[in-house]
Amino acid sequence: MSSVFIASHNIVSPLGFSTKENFDGIKNGISGVQLQIDDSLSNTPFYGAVINTEKLEKQFQLIGNPKNYTRFEKLLILSISDALKDSSVDVKSERTGLLISTTKGNIDLLESDKKNQFDENRVQLWESARQVHEFFGNPNIPMVLSNACISGVLAIIMASDYIKSGRYDSIIVAGADILSKFVVSGFQTFMALDEEPCKPYDKKRNGLNLGEGCGTMVLTNNSEATIDGKKIVVSGGASSNDANHISGPSRTGDGLALAIEKSLKNASISAGDIDFISAHGTATIFNDEMESLAFSASGLSSVPVNSLKGYYGHTLGAAGTIESILTVKTMTQNLLVRTAGYDEYGVGGKINVIAKNEEANIDHAMKTASGFGGCNAALVFSVK
Amino acid sequence: MNNRLYISGHCRIKDNRVELNGEPVFTQKDSNFSEFIKALYRDQQFQYSKFFKMDNLSKLGFAASEILLRSIHINVKGSEVGVVLANANSSLDTDVRYQESIKDKTNYFPSPSVFVYTLPNIVIGEICIKHKFTGENALLISETFEADQLFDHTMSLFKDGKVGSCLIGWVDYYLDDYDAALFFITRDNDKKTNFESEKIKSIYQNWS
């Protein structure tokens, strides 16, 4: 089976509309999480990471008519356009697939004041994906993955598997979600939001912040593809289910540990080979505790681990792609980025939380995620 | 190792009718989904109290998986069983219900037990909990039943050695309109129905 290389990438987020702006941002400790006082998103103020609408509209005007697309679609189109600029992958080829990962897509169109702006079907994920496909002229049936908070990580695994099996030569994986009253109120009813900026793995952590954005990663079987002069491959990945509870993480971390074990096996490496973990780290009490137990049980206690939720909030279907791209940048720039919001160790398992930026040589990095429905995913990137 | 894959069984729920491997299992005419699925629950003696907490999408997927999996002897570990489902309407039925609860500031009643079902992969979680399946997951969205994509996805999991068996298919629900078509894919050839994209397409289309 052929190897799967990363050809190009882009991140659109409150920190910027290119991967460079985003990596420079987190490197310099800039966070997109701010206090949001906005009636259209929440009846009460909350901390979240929101993209400036004026900037988004202005940027979008350069490539398309903003009136024809929803906010969610604009994020996808902007991000994919930028990712394709630096790539030899032909989006119009039958051998190129386009895979969109999202949890809620155009869910804001259910709001009464937005209902008439677009056709009724537009709230459907397949219709939204079709709009994006048509914009780029991709000839294949739009692929959409909606698997809660593991969507982005699972989409990269799925795309990599499809390329390995010979179904496609290249796949553009774009993960996106926007903030909406729907999503914010939902997490509020779960009492899952911290009233302050989130604090992953910290003793005083008390919940997550939400965010919005899009991350696009272009995968290919073309072995000439490089990122910052390095060949980076998706060397393995796997998912699992806790089979325990639909709305809470497992208390033991067994499910995530299983995904980690399978992804290592799939990559034909062992836990001792992993140099860095980009974890899910939502900063809820139960998620971070569960992850710490899973990493300990998997022999990963000494491996430097960070969570990027302090910079972006939890961007749901975008989190896995945005954080995977930043994992790749970590590998090419040899720089481990600190966990924003982390101060005092506060999890039961033994893990090595990155508390300050430090240089490191990284050959193999792991990205993990866990989500509602009991799902977990782990993905391994390697320098070839 | 035998690399061939087989369809061990399939179950369809649509138009107030249930069929297992093409044979009728249950019918209840002139009832809405909620009445129909309750009657099916009683008739098939599911005896699973969590069922009544589920949203309609999960009830539909759960019922189809129960009827199918009861008929199959699974001879791989739970960690080797994958669940790959697809639909068109995602969780929109529950999304609309949830949106109702937040649209009015003065009549604001969002509930976490509704919100959790605003993700389409929750039905996979429900099936995994019942059967202790801890293997691969994926919830795909397409406008119509895409046999080729389900087939390609399932093949890639088997080829990569990630699953030993896989529950796959279509579970779609929106506003009383529903359709479930599940297939259990294994390496066992006792039933001798080869797993092919054309085969699942023809089973799916063969409904009158």
Side-chain angles (χ1 to χ4, degrees):
Chain A
M1 281 200 267
S2 57
S3 288
V4 178
F5 299 83
I6 297 164
S8 62
H9 48 73
N10 163 274
I11 297 171
V12 169
S13 83
L15 295 186
F17 286 19
S18 67
T19 301
K20 187 181 183 309
E21 285 171 90
N22 275 273
F23 192 71
D24 286 349
I26 64 168
K27 198 169 78 181
N28 296 319
I30 297 167
S31 171
V33 175
Q34 310 281 344
L35 185 66
Q36 307 293 336
I37 303 171
D38 181 348
D39 252 7
S40 71
L41 292 177
S42 169
N43 297 340
T44 50
F46 70 103
Y47 274 91
V50 183
I51 294 170
N52 182 288
T53 300
E54 212 174 301
K55 191 181 163 195
L56 175 67
E57 296 293 306
K58 214 169 136 190
Q59 197 75 20
F60 193 83
Q61 270 170 11
L62 302 173
I63 56 168
N65 183 349
K67 285 201 180 86
N68 294 345
Y69 299 96
T70 64
R71 183 179 184 85
F72 168 69
E73 292 156 12
K74 281 173 194 156
L75 296 188
L76 283 167
I77 292 171
L78 270 176
S79 180
I80 294 168
S81 296
D82 187 63
L84 288 173
K85 256 191 236 163
D86 307 327
S87 162
S88 59
V89 169
D90 177 12
V91 67
K92 294 192 168 67
S93 162
E94 280 180 10
R95 299 290 302 153
T96 301
L98 185 47
L99 169 57
I100 289 168
S101 109
T102 183
T103 63
K104 298 308 316 161
N106 283 329
I107 197 68
D108 57 326
L109 297 187
L110 290 183
E111 293 165 16
S112 48
D113 56 332
K114 290 188 186 166
K115 252 184 180 159
N116 300 325
Q117 287 175 10
F118 292 93
D119 186 72
E120 198 186 347
N121 267 345
R122 201 61 169 256
V123 73
Q124 299 282 10
L125 298 179
W126 50 263
E127 173 58 22
S128 189
R130 200 176 63 82
Q131 294 290 336
V132 176
H133 272 247
E134 276 188 3
F135 181 92
F136 292 102
N138 184 264
N140 294 301
I141 292 167
M143 294 186 278
V144 181
L145 179 73
S146 186
N147 216 101
C149 303
I150 72 165
S151 297
V153 176
L154 189 57
I156 295 170
I157 297 169
M158 177 176 152
S160 163
D161 286 348
Y162 283 21
I163 293 171
K164 275 194 227 164
S165 72
R167 175 66 186 83
Y168 291 98
D169 290 336
S170 306
I171 298 184
I172 299 154
V173 183
D177 262 305
I178 57 162
L179 275 186
S180 61
K181 200 166 212 174
F182 187 104
V183 168
V184 176
S185 66
F187 279 88
Q188 282 167 340
T189 70
F190 260 102
M191 313 294 270
L193 301 187
D194 198 322
E195 287 177 3
E196 295 173 18
C198 70
K199 305 168 205 55
Y201 308 112
D202 191 88
K203 210 174 171 178
K204 298 196 187 78
R205 73 181 183 281
N206 195 26
L208 54 83
N209 304 140
L210 289 164
E212 63 183 0
C214 180
T216 301
M217 186 181 266
V218 182
L219 304 178
T220 179
N221 60 10
N222 179 357
S223 62
E224 301 294 309
T226 57
I227 299 296
D228 302 335
K230 283 190 181 177
K231 284 188 183 182
I232 310 283
V233 295
V234 178
S235 46
S239 62
S240 69
N241 195 289
D242 293 336
N244 174 53
H245 200 280
I246 53 165
S247 61
S250 108
R251 293 295 171 104
T252 60
D254 290 354
L256 177 57
L258 175 64
I260 290 170
E261 181 195 327
K262 289 200 298 178
S263 70
L264 290 169
K265 188 179 156 216
N266 190 235
S268 303
I269 59 170
S270 60
D273 296 320
I274 298 291
D275 302 307
F276 164 61
I277 304 167
S278 171
H280 195 43
T282 58
T284 66
I285 289 168
F286 293 121
N287 173 78
D288 291 10
E289 178 70 11
M290 178 281 287
E291 281 186 285
S292 78
L293 297 175
F295 294 147
S296 310
S298 303
L300 297 166
S301 284
S302 62
V303 181
V305 50
N306 73 9
S307 156
L308 299 175
K309 299 295 190 289
Y311 303 98
Y312 293 96
H314 190 350
T315 54
L316 308 175
T321 56
I322 290 175
E323 292 162 15
S324 288
I325 293 161
L326 294 167
T327 298
V328 169
K329 289 300 279 186
T330 299
M331 299 172 85
T332 66
Q333 303 302 306
N334 303 314
L335 183 73
L336 300 173
V337 176
R338 71 175 286 266
T339 303
Y342 171 76
D343 181 33
E344 195 181 355
Y345 196 81
V347 284
K350 190 176 175 298
I351 59 169
N352 177 12
V353 183
I354 303 167
K356 60 177 199 319
N357 288 5
E358 54 186 303
E359 286 185 17
N361 190 31
I362 301 153
D363 291 324
H364 301 282
M366 178 175 277
K367 170 78 205 110
T368 67
S370 301
F372 276 171
C375 50
N376 307 279
L379 171 59
V380 182
F381 294 103
S382 304
V383 178
K384 188 125 180 162
Chain B
M1 192 167 70
N2 176 10
N3 281 322
R4 300 197 68 161
L5 298 175
Y6 303 89
I7 302 170
S8 292
H10 53 92
C11 176
R12 187 73 176 268
I13 305 182
K14 186 177 161 65
D15 306 331
N16 291 9
R17 259 161 61 210
V18 183
E19 284 187 2
L20 178 65
N21 302 322
E23 301 295 325
V25 170
F26 178 77
T27 308
Q28 175 160 299
K29 282 184 186 153
D30 305 322
S31 55
N32 63 23
F33 178 78
S34 145
E35 293 157 355
F36 165 74
I37 205 77
K38 249 184 245 160
L40 177 65
Y41 178 95
R42 278 195 301 271
D43 181 76
Q44 294 293 307
Q45 299 169 17
F46 287 159
Q47 294 177 335
Y48 192 67
S49 58
K50 277 184 199 161
F51 181 83
F52 295 100
K53 291 184 183 168
M54 295 178 193
D55 75 342
N56 290 326
L57 179 67
S58 287
K59 278 180 181 159
L60 176 65
F62 178 87
S65 67
E66 264 323 277
I67 291 163
L68 173 58
L69 294 170
R70 279 176 178 187
S71 73
I72 288 166
H73 171 69
I74 299 173
N75 58 6
V76 298
K77 287 186 288 183
S79 60
E80 292 173 30
V81 182
V83 183
V84 177
L85 302 181
N87 75 21
N89 287 293
S90 182
S91 53
L92 192 59
D93 190 74
T94 300
D95 295 351
V96 169
R97 262 186 69 206
Y98 182 78
Q99 183 69 31
E100 279 296 306
S101 73
I102 60 163
K103 70 172 185 188
D104 188 352
K105 247 186 184 178
T106 54
N107 184 21
Y108 185 80
F109 55 97
S111 142
S113 59
V114 177
F115 183 68
V116 68
Y117 285 100
T118 64
L119 290 164
N121 64 302
I122 298 298
V123 57
I124 295 178
E126 296 284 15
I127 294 169
C128 286
I129 290 169
K130 173 68 203 299
H131 296 279
K132 294 287 161 223
F133 294 156
T134 56
E136 298 288 322
N137 283 190
L139 192 296
L140 309 166
I141 305 277
S142 54
E143 185 179 0
T144 52
F145 180 79
E146 292 291 346
D148 288 347
Q149 203 201 350
L150 267 180
F151 179 78
D152 288 343
H153 193 101
T154 310
M155 287 306 284
S156 78
L157 295 178
F158 274 101
K159 266 190 199 168
D160 226 8
K162 287 181 183 172
V163 294
S165 296
C166 209
L167 177 68
I168 68 165
W170 183 258
V171 181
D172 195 33
Y173 186 98
Y174 185 52
L175 300 180
D176 236 31
D177 199 3
Y178 60 91
D179 186 5
L182 295 184
F183 305 82
F184 198 74
I185 312 304
T186 66
R187 295 190 190 280
D188 310 329
N189 67 353
D190 51 334
K191 299 269 167 136
K192 293 195 172 60
T193 306
N194 288 340
F195 176 48
E196 290 157 359
S197 183
E198 282 307 315
K199 191 68 202 169
I200 56 173
K201 200 181 293 176
S202 75
I203 291 172
Y204 182 80
Q205 285 167 353
N206 186 21
W207 180 265
S208 50

